[in-house]
Amino acid sequence: MTWFRREKKALEVPQEKRVQTEGLWVKCDGCKQIIWKKDIEASLHCCPKCNYHFKIGARARLEILFDGGRFTEHDAGLASTDPLTFQDTKSYRDRLKKAEKTTGAKDAVITGEGLLEGKPLIACAMEFNFIGGSMGAVVGEKITRAIDRCIAQRLPLVIISCSGGARMMEGAISLMQMAKVNAGLARLDEIRKPYISVLTDPTTGGVTASFAMLGDLNIAEPGALIGFAGPRVIEQTIRQKLPDGFQRSEFLLEHGMIDAIVPRKELRGYLARSLELLGAWNDQ
Amino acid sequence: MPESQAQSAVVLELTRQIAELEKSSDSEAAQEEIDRLRGQLEALQRVGTGAPKDAWDRVLLARHPQRPYTLDYIQLLFTDFTELHGDRRFADDAAIVCGLARFEGRAVMVVGHQKGRDTKQKLLRNFGMPKPEGYRKAMRLMQMAAKFGLPIISLVDTPGAYPGIGAEERGQAEAIANNLKEIPKLAVPIVVIIHGEGGSGGALAIAIGDCVLMLENAVYSVISPESCSSILWRDWQHKQDAARILKLTAQDLRGFEIVDEIIPEPPDGAHTDHAHAAALLRPRIESSLRELSALPAAELLHRRHERLRKLATFVRES
């Protein structure tokens, strides 16, 4: 008689019992916690635990900004002519097509007009997923046209930046957009209508060195990377590690480069109040 | 000194400078400068005579160690140069020189980037890479020029604005951006001459004007060919391809109507004869100034705004 007897039945291979959770939960880049995605969406794509601000697209930005998420889009069909016929390992035309497919936009900025607490304004929002939100001829022209409209209609301007800088694939032409947009801002100065620059993560290079740092008010989302040179370029030049928090919103506030850090949830209220205080709608 | 002998003297000098820089690691920009000096050595050895020049040849010529720098042009083209210093905010940046001077007897304001020729000068001039205080000094003095009705002549030659911790802390981006917005308002003629390297936003910050002249072998680009190569191909080996595809030569920029006129250089490049290079430039500055000075201020500003509004508009409706 044996004390032990082997079970005849082979071990059952467990059936696929995984619950499909992909897309329902998101790991927060700030606090590393796993968060229910709907909770993030409900709080304007900010982490409900640590208030980390997730990147969002240009269209979502404008929908958050304007009353009821409604706005009239301008110049939606404007597209690049590929003036350099730029070709490296891939052609610029293919890069543009791919970016258009992933973002549904023709280039890296969406511009439009709508209401903020019932008052009209013109706003531009940059799309980081379109070739790093880079500024080429289309971005420069759309923002300049937005400025032209502000002048013609005597409306205030809000630009929400999110960009790696000038677009390399348009060479010196992208560089000239900085001059074109800022000459537009010089004309906007004359009509005394406010321009508020909203800096989001990340805003660097030719965009900070043109319109993004020149708002009558510069405000930033918490923790956004904002600078002229990217941190990697600086590290390569000076051959040392950069201090923690370097070029973040809080660093810029401390160094006097921005007026305030405004969490996404408070943006609408902040903009409406400050535009009102600056007399943006006094003649409406 | 015969040219070949002069050239070998420069090769020796460059080799010495590389060795010197490799020893002194106290400069933040030293490593980058060593790479640049190696490029200059390559320039000396590569750029021959008479042969047709591709974009990379022009990059090497634009960075040629013997090419005339801003102070050379100032000495050759102006009299009574009176240098003015400081941004009244933080410091004086030696990477940008500014001052009052006379051009053909007429009082003007000169601003320009300045590179150094020997190691000491290179460190002093920070390799021609300005910090925010440099751009703010230029802006202060350009505004002063407008106040006293003096035309502005801007000489552009920089690898780019300096990417460093202090420069970021003091608002490099804001300094450049502010120039781009304030220069268009100045009611005096502005003539811009891109005579060496036009390095991106760091060049543009003093390159807004009514008339933009560019020397035959100068380059003007949104990014250096080396950085472009490292982004697109993940190494520096494709810098020559990058130089070609970036369309950074005077001919390219004239084609895009970013530059109004190409200024010829002596046959083998401006570095072979500084006086000749300046002599070729002088009449073009003179005619531009004469034409612009004839315009009433309102007309001048109107034309400048029109020019900037139409600048580099390459878009289509789809």
Side-chain angles (χ1 to χ4, degrees):
Chain A
M1 185 178 166
T2 49
W3 285 25
F4 298 103
R5 191 171 297 148
R6 175 198 280 247
E7 280 277 346
K8 283 283 184 247
K9 235 165 70 182
L11 284 170
E12 238 177 78
V13 180
Q15 291 288 309
E16 193 67 46
K17 270 198 279 192
R18 260 192 322 162
V19 181
Q20 191 63 39
T21 58
E22 199 180 336
L24 295 179
W25 298 87
V26 174
K27 188 173 177 185
C28 172
D29 289 337
C31 60
K32 311 286 176 205
Q33 295 208 47
I34 308 293
I35 316 280
W36 183 239
K37 196 176 172 193
K38 289 236 165 82
D39 285 350
I40 295 174
E41 282 163 11
S43 54
L44 304 178
H45 298 267
C46 297
C47 173
K49 297 254 183 344
C50 73
N51 200 28
Y52 173 83
H53 284 50
F54 287 86
K55 283 194 183 65
I56 54 174
R59 196 162 295 280
R61 290 264 177 208
L62 293 184
E63 283 166 2
I64 289 172
L65 175 69
F66 287 118
D67 291 351
R70 283 190 308 274
F71 63 97
T72 311
E73 188 173 346
H74 295 142
D75 306 312
L78 226 53
S80 172
T81 60
D82 185 15
L84 271 58
T85 51
F86 196 91
Q87 168 105 34
D88 53 279
T89 49
K90 250 193 267 175
S91 79
Y92 176 41
R93 272 167 204 274
D94 288 344
R95 285 181 200 270
L96 285 169
K97 268 187 216 137
K98 195 176 157 228
E100 186 180 340
K101 226 172 150 187
T102 43
T103 62
K106 295 265 180 215
D107 214 295
V109 73
I110 298 179
T111 61
E113 184 185 337
L115 300 176
L116 174 65
E117 298 193 353
K119 307 279 178 58
L121 83 158
I122 284 177
C124 314
M126 301 189 78
E127 175 57 65
F128 194 76
N129 285 329
F130 198 105
I131 317 186
S134 56
M135 171 162 66
V138 175
V139 171
E141 181 65 19
K142 282 175 88 167
I143 293 179
T144 309
R145 287 190 190 181
I147 295 169
D148 289 342
R149 285 196 180 91
C150 286
I151 294 169
Q153 298 170 243
R154 302 190 58 79
L155 290 178
L157 174 69
V158 170
I159 303 179
I160 305 172
S161 297
C162 187
S163 169
R167 188 172 296 167
M168 188 167 57
M169 298 82 169
E170 293 187 21
I173 286 157
S174 61
L175 188 63
M176 293 306 129
Q177 306 309 316
M178 297 166 64
K180 181 162 80 179
V181 173
N182 279 26
L185 291 178
R187 285 182 283 120
L188 186 65
D189 276 353
E190 288 167 22
I191 67 151
R192 300 181 186 281
K193 286 292 167 190
Y195 154 44
I196 299 185
S197 172
V198 181
L199 298 122
T200 72
D201 187 45
T203 303
T204 58
V207 167
T208 41
S210 58
F211 54 86
M213 293 305 291
L214 288 191
D216 293 300
L217 269 63
N218 292 335
I219 62 177
E221 285 195 337
L225 178 80
I226 301 160
F228 173 65
R232 241 183 333 146
V233 174
I234 300 173
E235 279 183 347
Q236 276 166 11
T237 306
I238 66 172
R239 311 262 158 164
Q240 57 186 358
K241 276 228 51 80
L242 293 168
D244 273 353
F246 182 68
Q247 294 182 313
R248 296 286 164 184
S249 305
E250 297 71 18
F251 173 94
L252 270 89
L253 184 68
E254 191 188 323
H255 284 85
M257 295 299 152
I258 56 176
D259 292 282
I261 295 173
V262 181
R264 197 173 290 164
K265 265 173 259 175
E266 294 164 26
L267 181 69
R268 269 173 56 84
Y270 187 98
L271 289 175
R273 185 174 69 247
S274 44
L275 286 172
E276 194 77 64
L277 285 166
L278 289 166
W281 299 295
N282 281 356
D283 53 359
Q284 294 284 319
Chain B
M1 198 161 32
E3 202 181 311
S4 59
Q5 210 179 324
Q7 179 158 330
S8 57
V10 176
V11 169
L12 275 177
E13 168 66 15
L14 287 176
T15 318
R16 198 183 56 76
Q17 285 184 15
I18 292 172
E20 223 174 274
L21 278 169
E22 276 173 342
K23 262 188 276 168
S24 71
S25 56
D26 56 334
S27 160
E28 290 180 344
Q31 274 304 324
E32 197 151 286
E33 178 58 11
I34 289 171
D35 294 337
R36 206 171 298 126
L37 287 172
R38 294 218 169 96
Q40 293 191 337
L41 268 178
E42 186 191 336
L44 282 172
Q45 279 140 15
R46 181 184 149 102
V47 178
T49 53
K53 297 177 184 93
D54 68 10
W56 181 248
D57 289 333
R58 304 224 192 247
V59 171
L60 294 178
L61 281 170
R63 297 173 181 171
H64 196 285
Q66 296 304 103
R67 196 170 172 84
Y69 293 154
T70 290
L71 282 172
D72 299 313
Y73 284 113
I74 290 177
Q75 201 219 323
L76 289 161
L77 292 168
F78 300 85
T79 54
D80 287 351
F81 178 61
T82 307
E83 188 172 355
L84 303 170
H85 295 275
D87 69 343
R88 301 292 189 273
R89 297 286 181 274
F90 178 74
D92 181 44
D93 185 351
I96 287 190
V97 293
C98 306
L100 297 162
R102 284 189 190 278
F103 179 79
E104 304 284 337
R106 179 174 182 185
V108 296
M109 181 69 78
V110 190
V111 301
H113 305 94
Q114 179 63 32
K115 294 177 177 174
R117 228 175 275 285
D118 59 30
T119 307
K120 205 175 144 198
Q121 281 290 316
K122 280 177 175 158
L123 292 172
L124 171 72
R125 304 290 179 189
N126 197 33
F127 316 101
M129 294 190 284
K131 294 171 187 167
E133 40 277 17
Y135 296 115
R136 290 181 182 135
K137 168 170 71 173
M139 195 63 240
R140 174 176 80 85
L141 291 166
M142 285 191 270
Q143 280 168 337
M144 187 203 279
K147 177 176 171 185
F148 295 109
L150 307 175
I152 297 164
I153 293 164
S154 182
L155 295 155
V156 177
D157 180 23
T158 178
Y162 184 63
I165 291 181
E168 292 289 325
E169 285 174 333
R170 297 191 296 279
Q172 185 73 288
E174 192 274 343
I176 294 170
N178 189 53
N179 283 19
L180 300 183
K181 188 175 115 176
E182 295 304 318
I183 295 172
K185 298 176 183 173
L186 306 175
V188 288
I190 307 172
V191 177
V192 175
I193 302 134
I194 296 148
H195 65 80
E197 284 183 273
S200 199
L204 184 68
I206 60 165
I208 307 286
D210 304 301
C211 175
V212 179
L213 311 175
M214 184 163 172
L215 264 63
E216 192 185 339
N217 294 313
V219 294
Y220 196 3
S221 177
V222 71
I223 187 169
S224 74
E226 287 87 349
S227 303
C228 175
S229 166
S230 75
I231 290 172
L232 293 176
W233 285 278
R234 310 263 160 219
D235 64 51
W236 279 28
Q237 301 314 308
H238 290 79
K239 58 193 179 188
Q240 302 183 14
D241 296 319
R244 185 174 41 78
I245 61 177
L246 280 169
K247 305 258 161 71
L248 44 63
T249 68
Q251 285 77 1
D252 294 323
L253 287 150
R254 178 72 198 91
F256 297 135
E257 295 181 357
I258 291 168
V259 161
D260 298 290
E261 199 181 337
I262 301 172
I263 310 295
E265 293 183 22
D268 296 327
H271 64 281
T272 58
D273 190 343
H274 289 193
H276 188 193
L280 289 166
L281 179 57
R282 181 188 291 274
R284 306 313 221 286
I285 300 178
E286 201 192 345
S287 59
S288 303
L289 267 186
R290 194 173 346 106
E291 189 190 312
L292 294 169
S293 301
L295 299 172
E299 174 68 13
L300 181 77
L301 288 178
H302 176 71
R303 279 201 199 183
R304 190 183 302 157
H305 278 302
E306 287 289 299
R307 177 197 162 90
L308 289 166
R309 178 64 191 86
K310 293 190 183 119
L311 189 62
T313 301
F314 291 90
V315 293
R316 62 188 165 86
E317 286 289 345
S318 65

